[in-house]
Amino acid sequence: MAKKAAKNNDSSATIGFEAKLWLAADKLRNNMDAAEYKHVVLGLIFIKYISDAFEEMRAKLLEGKGDYEGADPEDADEYKAENVFWVPKEARWYELQAAAKQPTIGKVVDDAMVALERDNPRLKGVLPKDYARPALDKHRLGELIDLIGTITLIATATEGEDAKSHRSVDLLGRVYEYFLTRFASAEGKNGGQFYTPSCIVRTIVEMLAPYKGRVYDPACGSGGMFVQSEKFVVEHGGRIGDLSIYGQESNATTRRLAIMNLAIRGIEADFGPEQADTFRRDLHKDLKAQFVIANPPFNDSDWHRVDDDVRWQYGVPPKGNANFAWVQHFIHHLAPDGFAGFVLANGSMSSNQSGEGDIRKAIIEADLVDCMVALPGQLFYSTQIPVCLWFLTKSKNARTVGHPDDDVPDFLRDHRRETLFIDARKMGTLIDRVHRELTEEDIKKIAETYHAWRSDDLAWRGAANTAGYTLPAEPGSGYQNIPGFCKSTTTAEIAAHGYVLTPGRYVGAEEVEDDGEPFEEKMARLVAELNEQFAESAKLEQTIKVNLRGLGYDR
């Protein structure tokens, strides 16, 4: 069971000034497309981030206290030992800012990128190096550099007991994430290729609780699933590095974005040697992951299928839709004790076209489906269609799961031939006219429901009592079905529904609180109210007709 509530990780990057920064930066965009401008801005934020981290480390080395006594601040190995990128002099931020007003600023930035790649093999071929191109307005580029240069000043201006450095609150990392979000919105459909809304990512991660092991995303986009997984580990007392990250991305520019996204957070990852299509060339063929997390393209009809592929264990997926190719790819790479959580279009829960129903039935009968979550619409920037979350596991047997923040492990109960359905379609809050977000309370409720359903509360209470924990006064805080929201269902029930996995079929209707008014009295009152409204409507109709006649429209 989840014994500690997830902390508010504020992954929407609400740090107070990022919207102002975005507006200011966007004013400098001129006639450039968001897709192109994205690389200009994010490349500069990347340099700013690693340069600041470098300067912070350099200050410690220059001070020479404690572990740093006798250290050489110009020795690159001193920085690499602390997982900090070595930044050569020509790539340090103050050098760029000093040249911001010069017409050669584009070449200065390109040279900085080349120097960073030269001295840091992890970045080879990753950084954008086309700031000197004639189409990029150098005056606006200089203004953009000055603007990004203000981020640290805003952070260090905080005073008092709670003052934090820009690194401790990860301001640049969060600005980077905020800009990723805004670019996804600005690019519309194309933006969905590289960005999954953070509330969806957080929901999946909070449900999977990836404390330790191998994490794999074969359609990793900008790497948001990995970033959130590492945040989860750190927030629960673990360390960056407790997870081994494996990713694959078919789009070269998106792959570079992912590498930068993880690099600014000091996260090591294996993305394979280059970009590649997961179905044409699986870059991690032998990988068995404890956690598979993904948001693959929805209903992809343009994908490469080999009919005798070893991955099609539950049936050959149709050429016209890759949904069940992705599902079987995830299962193929799932470790025996692993969990998979991923996003698919709602059609995957009920489609019987081209053999999809048979594949879904085989997966259900193999007892792989752990939980299904129906999400509200309007969560994505790229599409308005509602989506769902699938959670799969190869083992529903009773077992223990340890994690770093607690002496008492979770005890998972035997829940073979059972599946949890959660209907979250009514959750979420509109953040603008067309976009919705799940709130922290929504995410917490969904994740805690799942953990309570899987857990053996009595076993955990026994172990916690033995360990000297002070237990909550109310025993039996375990899972309960809630009409309209969640239902624990047997495989036999799912079979009776034709192997359809739509949560709405199982959770039923929400219970309406009894207001105590007898039915006969309520009906009489409602009918009287309706008649009053009919009379008012007729009166208004007559008034309108009279007014129209007065204007000469009497027919």
Side-chain angles (χ1 to χ4, degrees), residues 545 548-549 552-555:
K545 284 180 177 175
L548 286 173
R549 271 199 296 275
Y553 299 98
D554 55 354
R555 291 186 178 178

Side-chain angles (χ1 to χ4, degrees), residues 2 84 102 129 175 260 278 286 342 405 487 512 536:
V84 172
Q102 304 298 319
K129 295 180 283 290
V175 166
M260 285 196 290
T278 300
D286 299 325
F342 50 89
D405 71 333
K487 171 80 183 298
V512 179
E536 184 66 21

Side-chain angles (χ1 to χ4, degrees), residues 499-513:
Y499 295 97
V500 168
L501 291 173
T502 308
R505 285 201 176 210
Y506 302 94
V507 302
E510 188 177 358
E511 283 186 350
V512 179
E513 192 175 342

Side-chain angles (χ1 to χ4, degrees), residues 126-258:
V126 170
L127 304 180
K129 295 180 283 290
D130 54 355
Y131 288 85
R133 64 185 188 276
L136 185 60
D137 186 323
K138 302 303 177 294
H139 178 71
R140 290 180 186 275
L141 176 61
E143 289 183 319
L144 189 61
I145 289 172
D146 285 340
L147 180 68
I148 292 172
T150 65
I151 298 175
T152 304
L153 294 175
I154 293 170
T156 54
T158 306
E159 295 179 352
E161 205 172 69
D162 295 330
K164 296 174 180 178
S165 76
H166 63 284
R167 287 280 290 163
S168 64
V169 293
D170 194 19
L171 285 185
L172 275 170
R174 292 167 73 175
V175 166
Y176 191 92
E177 184 174 347
Y178 180 81
F179 272 53
L180 274 177
T181 310
R182 295 305 306 258
F183 278 123
S185 178
E187 288 184 49
K189 187 177 180 181
N190 292 335
Q193 292 178 2
F194 65 84
Y195 187 78
T196 304
S198 63
C199 67
I200 295 180
V201 178
R202 294 205 307 282
T203 303
I204 296 174
V205 169
E206 290 293 336
M207 291 180 75
L208 290 180
Y211 290 104
K212 197 169 188 177
R214 294 178 292 276
V215 177
Y216 173 51
D217 183 348
C220 67
S222 61
M225 299 285 188
F226 300 138
V227 171
Q228 195 59 43
S229 297
E230 290 283 358
K231 281 182 183 176
F232 180 90
V233 168
V234 172
E235 286 171 3
H236 288 76
R239 297 174 294 108
I240 285 182
D242 282 351
L243 296 177
S244 300
I245 305 292
Y246 298 86
Q248 180 163 345
E249 173 57 43
S250 60
N251 183 295
T253 54
T254 305
R255 179 177 179 273
R256 288 200 290 271
L257 211 57

Side-chain angles (χ1 to χ4, degrees), residues 106-125:
K107 185 174 186 308
V108 171
V109 176
D110 284 345
D111 289 346
M113 296 289 188
V114 170
L116 279 170
E117 289 193 359
R118 180 196 64 214
D119 291 359
N120 298 278
R122 278 172 59 194
L123 299 176
K124 188 177 179 184

Side-chain angles (χ1 to χ4, degrees), residues 216-440:
Y216 173 51
D217 183 348
C220 67
S222 61
M225 299 285 188
F226 300 138
V227 171
Q228 195 59 43
S229 297
E230 290 283 358
K231 281 182 183 176
F232 180 90
V233 168
V234 172
E235 286 171 3
H236 288 76
R239 297 174 294 108
I240 285 182
D242 282 351
L243 296 177
S244 300
I245 305 292
Y246 298 86
Q248 180 163 345
E249 173 57 43
S250 60
N251 183 295
T253 54
T254 305
R255 179 177 179 273
R256 288 200 290 271
L257 211 57
I259 294 172
M260 285 196 290
N261 197 10
L262 268 61
I264 62 173
R265 294 169 168 88
I267 300 172
E268 298 259 7
D270 181 350
F271 287 100
E274 61 218 348
Q275 75 278 3
D277 182 316
T278 300
F279 296 120
R280 289 178 183 274
R281 187 172 162 226
D282 186 353
L283 296 179
H284 304 288
K285 270 187 176 176
D286 299 325
L287 174 68
K288 297 296 180 187
Q290 275 72 41
F291 302 98
V292 177
I293 310 178
N295 171 30
F298 298 147
N299 302 321
D300 188 4
S301 59
D302 183 21
W303 69 287
H304 178 75
R305 186 183 81 180
V306 175
D307 289 355
D308 60 352
D309 195 309
V310 68
R311 291 172 286 190
W312 313 150
Q313 191 179 347
Y314 302 94
V316 179
K319 285 185 176 176
N321 192 316
N323 283 348
F324 282 93
W326 283 110
V327 174
Q328 294 190 82
H329 178 82
F330 303 148
I331 295 171
H332 177 76
H333 282 287
L334 195 59
D337 60 344
F339 289 93
F342 50 89
V343 189
L344 282 183
N346 273 3
S348 63
M349 299 190 290
S350 59
S351 169
N352 286 316
Q353 294 181 343
S354 307
E356 288 185 325
D358 293 334
I359 299 173
R360 188 174 57 250
K361 175 183 175 182
I363 292 170
I364 293 168
E365 285 296 344
D367 205 18
L368 296 172
V369 182
D370 207 32
C371 178
M372 297 295 301
V373 182
L375 294 176
Q378 299 177 289
L379 292 176
F380 275 81
Y381 293 104
S382 55
T383 175
Q384 297 298 314
I385 65 169
V387 298
C388 59
L389 303 181
W390 287 62
F391 291 88
L392 306 181
T393 180
K394 289 183 175 177
S395 172
K396 296 183 181 178
N397 293 315
R399 54 186 158 127
T400 59
V401 180
H403 37 79
D405 71 333
D406 211 317
D407 297 332
V408 181
D410 284 345
F411 292 80
L412 303 188
R413 67 183 179 85
D414 185 336
H415 58 290
R416 285 175 288 181
R417 312 297 287 174
E418 292 180 20
T419 297
L420 176 66
F421 288 93
I422 297 176
D423 190 347
R425 288 176 297 171
K426 293 180 182 175
M427 289 183 162
T429 303
L430 280 173
I431 56 171
D432 59 37
R433 195 167 51 83
V434 292
H435 296 133
R436 184 179 295 274
E437 262 190 6
L438 292 173
T439 65
E440 292 298 328

Side-chain angles (χ1 to χ4, degrees), residues 475-538:
S477 58
Y479 170 85
Q480 288 185 334
N481 289 335
I482 301 174
F485 177 64
C486 62
K487 171 80 183 298
S488 179
T489 308
T490 64
T491 302
E493 286 179 77
I494 298 173
H497 282 270
Y499 295 97
V500 168
L501 291 173
T502 308
R505 285 201 176 210
Y506 302 94
V507 302
E510 188 177 358
E511 283 186 350
V512 179
E513 192 175 342
D514 186 0
D515 58 7
E517 186 177 8
F519 176 77
E520 291 75 11
E521 292 179 18
K522 180 181 278 187
M523 278 302 294
R525 177 177 59 78
L526 291 175
V527 169
E529 287 179 6
L530 186 63
N531 285 333
E532 284 177 17
Q533 287 168 359
F534 282 156
E536 184 66 21
S537 172

